[in-house]
Amino acid sequence: MKKRNTLLALALTFGMTVGLAACGSGSEKKNDASKESSDAAVSKVANKDKPLVWFNRQPSNSSTGELDKTALSFNKDTYYVGFDAAQGAEVQGTMIKEYIEKNIDKIDRNGDGIIGYVLAIGDVGHNDSIARTIGVRKVLGTGVEKGKSINSEPIGTNIDGKSKIVKDGTIKVKGKSYKIRELASQEMKNNSGATWDAATAGNAIGTWASSFADQIDVIASNNDGMGMSIFNSWSKDNKVPTFGYDANNDAVAAIPEGYGGTVSQHADVQAYLTLRILRNALDGVDIDTGIGKKDDAGNVLSSDVYTYNKDQRSYYALNVAVTAQNYKDFSDSTKVYEPVSYQLDKTKSPEKKVWLNIYNSSDNFLGSTYQPLLQAYDDLLNLKVEYIAGDGQTESNITNRLGNPSEYDAFAINMVKTDNGASYTSILSQ
Ligand code: BGC
Ligand code: CA
């Protein structure tokens, strides 16, 4: 309500100023024209030409992974911000493999010569999730080729090692060979359709443990939300390491209590990029300002924390393993990244309004890490951001709240389903 009033007041002030200026010049015709420009003054730019950043869920075909180039190049100021999923997947897989090698003397809990692991899958249609499943299978040698890649489908259970979707891998440590087996994997989707669902993961480990607990030596999870649910409900008490992804605060804090490790996807860099790109486009400056090139305030990113892929119009943050060795450096995931923590000058980068949505208000990573970071950067970048929280299930729950795009100068979008870019761009094109 308060916001509405302010907006109304703003619109009135604009209208009056323009109107008065036009009055002085006399003719009827000019007055008409001034009326038009007073409407336009709320937002001079057509919605279809306003800066747009997709983040966290890359516009792509959820079955083939193929990028949705139409959505990614909606207008000249459209980009995607995420992280390098393949590199991160390799980091996660390698972290697990190294843990197994280091703890080989005690890791095989039932002594059957097989290192058994279970895998919590976030969303079978999400590039990040697919990449992480593939990364773990690839590094542990359990992947089976499918087309040009490794099969990323869930297997259900595979206690006997007969699955066609995965195979047994082998690992040789200190001259001795061990088998590695994916015992079970499942997409953690709840009854109402929400993916990456932590509660579902907690239930799944209960089911798995009740039938083959002594075979489970390691747990891999596509993210920390599901990983922590598994850790708290089973793996902590049973001293079985769980490896997640995201470096959320609670997961990092659990490492000294036995959580195996996690991966930082540099959310501090991603949240900055999400808003910085909009800022640059709104200011009409080089898109690389404060990114690859230092801005006047001193903000700049070095090439070891992100890459830019021109063809894909995508910025990707790079990932780092967070383990017992270095977890203390990652104790606060909501802290802004120091090299890009300088306030922009309001005279050069005046306040602008941004519409931004989070696909699911109960997503652990976006809620506990990404959004707090966005909220820190929006101040530094002089952006007034309206945060819209989705229910994680239906796109319309979010698009319904994009009823008046003309009130905003720029948009940052986190889709429920990566195929749904057009649900948003069609609103902006109207
Ligand atoms: C994160 C997950 C999160 C997902 C939401 C991923 O990048 O790692 O934790 O649930 O994004 O889209
Ligand atoms: Ca075993």
Side-chain angles (χ1 to χ4, degrees), residues 108-116 214-215 217:
D108 181 9
R109 294 166 73 234
N110 64 355
D112 65 352
I114 302 172
I115 320 289
D214 65 336
Q215 284 175 266
D217 301 315

Side-chain angles (χ1 to χ4, degrees), residues 118-120 157 184-192 194 196-212 216 219 225-235:
V118 296
L119 172 69
T157 52
S185 53
Q186 180 189 314
E187 182 188 40
M188 301 304 173
K189 189 172 179 169
N190 72 13
N191 290 336
S192 35
W196 303 88
D197 190 57
T200 305
N203 292 338
I205 192 67
T207 310
W208 290 333
S210 68
S211 62
F212 51 89
I216 306 173
I219 291 154
M226 301 181 295
M228 280 303 287
S229 176
I230 292 176
F231 182 69
N232 289 325
S233 58
W234 187 79
S235 97

Side-chain angles (χ1 to χ4, degrees), residues 94-209:
T94 306
M95 170 174 73
I96 299 174
K97 185 170 178 239
E98 286 175 353
Y99 182 95
I100 294 175
E101 287 166 350
K102 221 170 155 182
N103 294 280
I104 199 72
D105 297 333
K106 56 171 198 227
I107 198 147
D108 181 9
R109 294 166 73 234
N110 64 355
D112 65 352
I114 302 172
I115 320 289
Y117 73 91
V118 296
L119 172 69
I121 294 177
D123 174 348
V124 294
H126 188 306
N127 281 353
D128 300 353
S129 184
I130 293 169
R132 291 171 201 173
T133 296
I134 291 176
V136 166
R137 289 179 180 167
K138 190 171 154 198
V139 178
L140 299 181
T142 53
V144 170
E145 267 167 45
K146 190 187 176 194
K148 277 183 254 160
S149 180
I150 283 178
N151 197 334
S152 63
E153 288 163 47
I155 57 172
T157 52
N158 173 44
I159 314 163
D160 55 7
K162 292 204 173 118
S163 169
K164 296 271 180 295
I165 298 171
V166 291
K167 64 175 197 278
D168 284 349
T170 38
I171 187 169
K172 216 171 161 186
V173 195
K174 297 182 196 156
K176 203 175 157 207
S177 277
Y178 300 81
K179 268 190 187 166
I180 302 193
R181 178 171 298 164
E182 184 167 312
L183 299 166
S185 53
Q186 180 189 314
E187 182 188 40
M188 301 304 173
K189 189 172 179 169
N190 72 13
N191 290 336
S192 35
T195 52
W196 303 88
D197 190 57
T200 305
N203 292 338
I205 192 67
T207 310
W208 290 333

Side-chain angles (χ1 to χ4, degrees), residues 247 249 251-256 262 321-333 335:
N249 282 347
V252 173
I255 291 178
T262 179
V322 182
T323 63
Q325 278 76 52
N326 65 349
Y327 74 93
K328 287 190 178 131
D329 302 339
F330 294 84
S331 61
D332 186 2
S333 67
K335 210 173 93 204

Side-chain angles (χ1 to χ4, degrees), residues 56-57 83 126 128 132 196 222-223 245-246 265 359 363 365-366 414:
N56 176 260
R57 297 185 156 216
F83 64 99
H126 188 306
D128 300 353
R132 291 171 201 173
W196 303 88
N222 283 174
N223 80 353
Y245 206 107
D246 291 341
Q265 54 167 288
Y359 87 102
D363 185 277
F365 168 63
L366 292 163
N414 179 216

Side-chain angles (χ1 to χ4, degrees), residues 6-21 34-35 37-44 352:
T6 323
L7 250 169
L8 202 76
L10 241 159
L12 281 174
T13 321
F14 267 116
M16 274 168 68
T17 320
V18 180
L20 276 175
S34 80
K35 191 173 169 287
S37 68
S38 84
D39 287 340
V42 178
S43 171
K44 291 196 196 80
K352 296 281 177 182

Side-chain angles (χ1 to χ4, degrees), residues 3 55 354-361 371 385-391 395-403 408 412 414 424:
K3 258 178 207 149
F55 69 97
V354 176
W355 184 96
L356 181 150
N357 88 283
I358 301 285
Y359 87 102
N360 182 356
S361 60
Q371 186 167 340
V385 181
E386 181 138 334
Y387 293 91
I388 308 290
D391 65 6
E395 218 75 60
S396 58
N397 174 282
I398 299 163
T399 50
N400 282 345
R401 286 179 281 165
L402 185 50
Y408 303 91
N414 179 216
Y424 296 84

